[in-house]
Structure formats: structure tokens, C-alpha cells
Amino acid sequence: MRQSSETGLILGIESSCDETAAAVVRSGTTALSNVVASQMSLHANYGGVVPELASREHLRNIVPVVREAMSRANVTFADLDAVAVTEGPGLAGALLVGITYAKALTFGLDKPLISVNHLEGHIHAVLMEARERSEAPMDLPLLALVVSGGHTHLYLARQGSANTWTYRNVGRTVDDAAGEAYDKVAKLLGLGYPGGPWIDALAPHGNPRAVPFTFGHINSRPPRPGVTNKKAPATNEGPHFDFSFSGIKTAVLRYVETHHLRESIEARRAALAADQSITPKSETVANLCDQQTLDLIASFQYAVVGNLQRQTFAAAEALGAHSIVISGGVAANSELRRRFQAEADRRGLPIAFPSLALSTDNAAMIAAAAWPKLLARDFASEDLGATPQLRLGQQ
Ligand code: KG4
Ligand code: ZN
């Protein structure tokens, strides 16, 4: 096995949910390629990800996607220093496709295999792009909000010796993830899947204060004795800043019922089903909704973003974070970016977001997160398996 990592070329592979992705990243800084085969249109018919279909599609896509990533990067397998793959969290069958392929590849090539936590990947997407722009490293400790369809987590991140990163989970959702709430509310309102981009596009057309949604206080979490993970030390005594998004979803449902919106929702669902060309980016999208629905959508987004913002900045202040990183699919949201940026500016806290392409799932983030592990020679063993509930850092 090669001992040096002079070129720092890592092939990243990501298959934890509904995107088959591969990317080649040099020294955790420059993405030479970043290929994503999305299964969105397949799952859109069901209004959510169907695990069995996801695994089948990953199987179909993994070889061409990796080949495409290698070809766009203009490198050969022999040039690689390591292959990095998502170990978890995610769908077991979906993860296994990427892991099995990565293991076979590294075995055949006699190269190191690096396992990466998907959530750590989301954080490193932002750090990689900051390095690519030659910005000064983010001040540590940094507070990372990873907010997507499957996760709403706050981590306090530090860099230890030998380039390694350590994470402390200081907040998480106790029920639905924020992106899941977006998707469920969009589905309830007869909009397309995934719901985030639709609500993002429609919200500016409504009054965000029309429906006063509220979020209750969540008590600091009790210890969770049943949950163990070999990679997650159990104790984490500090304050926690947890989230809950199932209440607002129910509140939207109640609003729909008490305001008799069902009929117009069904008409919208039928119109969208009949005209697949309408996308959340199109200018005509607001014409699909009456003003009451637009106000409801704007109020939902205003409340969700406000809640994410309050918890994140409260955590940053209480824990003495010196910078903030926002990542995950919901980090693509325009209102979220605007309000978080304004609040960070007000407090004089540096804040960074990924580009839109690296907000949602991709493999460049997996290769970027693997770079410090390559430097530290932190390699996965040959018996690496999928860990669907994998946690990141100290809980
Ligand atoms: O990170 P990601 O691609 O996959 C997961 O790890 O879950 O995130 C997908 C989630 C979906 O719930 C989607 O609705 C949400 O991110 N999303 C958005 C936006 N774009 C994607 N949510 C709000 N606003 C957006 N612009
Ligand atoms: Zn993700």
C-alpha cells in the first residue's frame, strides 16, 4: 500500500439516501469532479423516498457515476490515494451499495478505504469551499447546523491534534427533521416533491405574519440508555438546544381543515400531476395558490426558519462558538440564508453556507471530510458495514 499522500486525491462515494454520487477531491480543497445521479423524479411519484427503489437505483447507477467522476476529473484509479465512502447514517440497503463497491475497489487497487459520517460530510462541504476560495480557516470552535430531510443537528466542532476533528452534539430534533416538515407540509398542500424548493419559491408571495405559528420550549433531553454506538462516547453534560417540527406540521393540517382548503389543494395536486413541466423555479408557480395558501406557506417558513435561527444563535452564544456553519438540503433555503446572515452580521459572528450544489447530498463533501483522516491515516477495516443510525461525535 502506498504510504504517501502527495497528491491527496480522494475518490468520494455517497449513497446514503436517494442520490448516487461520486467525486474526486484534491487535498480536501479542490473538487476535480462532482457527479450526482438524483433519483428525485422516481421517488416524487410516491411523495417520499422508497428504500427498496433507492437501493435498486444505486445498484444501477454506482458504476457509471464513479466512471463519470473519474473521467471528468481526468484521473485514473492508480492516481488515487484513497477511496472514501459514507458509512451512515442513512438507509441500510442504500449505504451498502456504496460501501460494497468502495470496498471492492480498494481491495482490487490496494488503496486505503476511509469511512465517513454523512453528517460530518455536510460540515466539510462548507470548509472545503472556504479553502477553495482561499479564505482564512473558520474560527474554532465552530457551531454547525446540519439541517436536511433526515437530520436537524447542532454540533460544536473543534480541530484536535494531527488534523482530526472532534464533534459534540449540542442539539437535535426530537421528532421530524426540518426538511421532513417542509416535505410533509408541501405534500399536504398539494405541492411537488421534495417540498423545500416549492415552499422556498412560494413563500415570498405570502404574508409571513398571517398565521402565528409558535414553538414550545423543549426541555433538555434526558439520557437515552437504550441507544449505544461504538463510535459515540455516551456522556455529554452541557446544555442542549433541541428542535421539534412535528407540532407545526399538525398545526398546518389543522389550519387546512378549519379553513376548508381541501378542495383547492386537490385541484392544485391534479393541475401539477397533469403538467409536469411546472417546476418550483417557474414564475407561474404562485398562480397555483390562492392568497390564503400563500400566506400559510409564508407563515410556515417564517416560523421554521425563526426556530432554527433562535436555537442556533442561542447555542452559539451559550457555548462560545466563534463561527457558524450551516449545511444540508435546507441550507439551500433563501429566507434561511438571508435571516441567518443578517443575525450573524448583527452579532459579528462569521457564518458560512455551502454553494447550492453542495447543500444537498453529494460525494465531494465525503471526499473532503476524508482528507484529515487520510493525513491521520485513519483507515476503515475490511469488515466495514453500513451503520444506518451512525452518530457523530459525543452525544
Ligand atoms: O441534504 P439532503 O439532500 O438530503 C438529506 O440528507 O436529507 O436534503 C434534502 C432536504 C429535503 O427535505 C428538501 O425538501 C430540503 O432538503 N430542501 C429545502 C430546499 N432545498 C432542499 N428545504 C428548504 N428550502 C430549500 N430551498
Ligand atoms: Zn444529507
Side-chain angles (χ1 to χ4, degrees):
M1 196 174 286
R2 276 163 56 153
Q3 295 297 308
S4 83
S5 52
E6 276 171 274
T7 53
L9 278 183
I10 301 178
L11 166 67
I13 295 176
E14 153 66 36
S15 68
S16 66
C17 191
D18 59 345
E19 258 109 27
T20 320
V24 179
V25 174
R26 186 193 289 127
S27 308
T29 301
T30 311
L32 303 181
S33 62
N34 186 25
V35 179
V36 181
S38 175
Q39 307 174 5
M40 217 175 274
S41 53
L42 175 72
H43 298 289
N45 298 323
Y46 304 92
V49 178
V50 184
E52 292 77 9
L53 294 184
S55 310
R56 198 189 65 191
E57 284 302 297
H58 285 308
L59 270 177
R60 227 199 282 272
N61 290 333
I62 188 86
V63 172
V65 164
V66 169
R67 284 210 180 124
E68 182 68 20
M70 297 296 291
S71 142
R72 284 195 204 170
N74 200 21
V75 298
T76 67
F77 284 123
D79 297 328
L80 296 174
D81 290 287
V83 177
V85 67
T86 306
E87 178 186 2
L91 302 168
L95 288 163
L96 272 176
V97 175
I99 291 171
T100 309
Y101 185 77
K103 277 164 69 170
L105 206 53
T106 49
F107 183 77
L109 296 169
D110 192 22
K111 305 264 182 189
L113 174 68
I114 299 174
S115 66
V116 172
N117 185 308
H118 180 84
L119 300 166
E120 184 176 19
H122 274 301
I123 297 169
H124 281 264
V126 183
L127 303 178
M128 177 185 86
E129 290 190 312
R131 278 193 294 272
E132 197 163 25
R133 292 189 299 264
S134 304
E135 289 171 10
M138 305 227 34
D139 295 326
L140 303 180
L142 68 79
L143 182 74
L145 170 66
V146 182
V147 59
S148 70
H151 314 282
T152 306
H153 287 291
L154 281 169
Y155 294 100
L156 196 66
R158 293 187 158 85
Q159 208 167 8
S161 56
N163 298 298
T164 54
W165 283 79
T166 58
Y167 305 91
R168 194 173 119 211
N169 178 246
V170 295
R172 63 165 174 248
T173 178
V174 297
D175 40 52
D176 290 352
E180 194 178 352
Y182 266 95
D183 294 340
K184 287 177 176 170
V185 164
K187 187 175 179 185
L188 171 67
L189 297 179
L191 301 168
Y193 173 85
W198 286 88
I199 290 178
D200 195 356
L202 289 165
H205 300 276
N207 173 6
R209 292 170 202 274
V211 188
F213 291 117
T214 52
F215 282 86
H217 175 76
I218 301 169
N219 287 329
S220 223
R221 68 185 87 158
R224 305 209 307 168
V227 182
T228 53
N229 184 312
K230 61 186 163 75
K231 296 202 167 178
T235 50
N236 180 359
E237 303 275 304
H240 288 276
F241 300 85
D242 291 340
F243 303 92
S244 166
F245 293 104
S246 74
I248 191 164
K249 180 191 67 189
T250 311
V252 172
L253 175 62
R254 223 172 13 245
Y255 185 96
V256 163
E257 270 156 15
T258 53
H259 292 76
H260 311 292
L261 299 180
R262 284 267 174 220
E263 211 174 305
S264 65
I265 289 172
E266 288 317 320
R268 182 161 47 249
R269 211 188 299 283
L272 280 175
D275 184 354
Q276 306 265 345
S277 69
I278 302 176
T279 74
K281 291 194 187 86
S282 99
E283 283 305 309
T284 57
V285 77
N287 297 334
L288 292 168
C289 302
D290 52 70
Q291 195 54 47
Q292 195 173 25
T293 304
L294 291 170
D295 290 348
L296 176 62
I297 288 168
S299 302
F300 165 79
Q301 176 159 289
Y302 182 75
V304 169
V305 171
N307 184 253
L308 289 167
Q309 183 184 321
R310 266 188 305 282
Q311 292 295 77
T312 303
F313 284 94
E317 187 170 327
L319 301 166
H322 290 164
S323 59
I324 295 182
V325 158
I326 317 289
S327 194
V330 182
N333 186 267
S334 31
E335 180 174 340
L336 181 147
R337 285 180 180 237
R338 197 173 56 249
R339 289 173 62 187
F340 270 72
Q341 185 69 58
E343 182 66 17
D345 290 348
R346 203 177 65 73
R347 292 170 181 251
L349 259 183
I351 190 165
F353 304 88
S355 62
L356 290 185
L358 291 198
S359 293
T360 47
D361 290 349
N362 65 86
M365 69 185 198
I366 302 303
W371 169 238
K373 297 178 200 289
L374 177 62
L375 292 177
R377 305 194 62 71
D378 177 7
F379 301 141
S381 74
E382 282 170 10
D383 62 0
L384 177 71
T387 312
Q389 306 291 339
L390 186 64
R391 312 262 214 111
L392 177 61
Q394 194 185 33
Q395 300 300 304

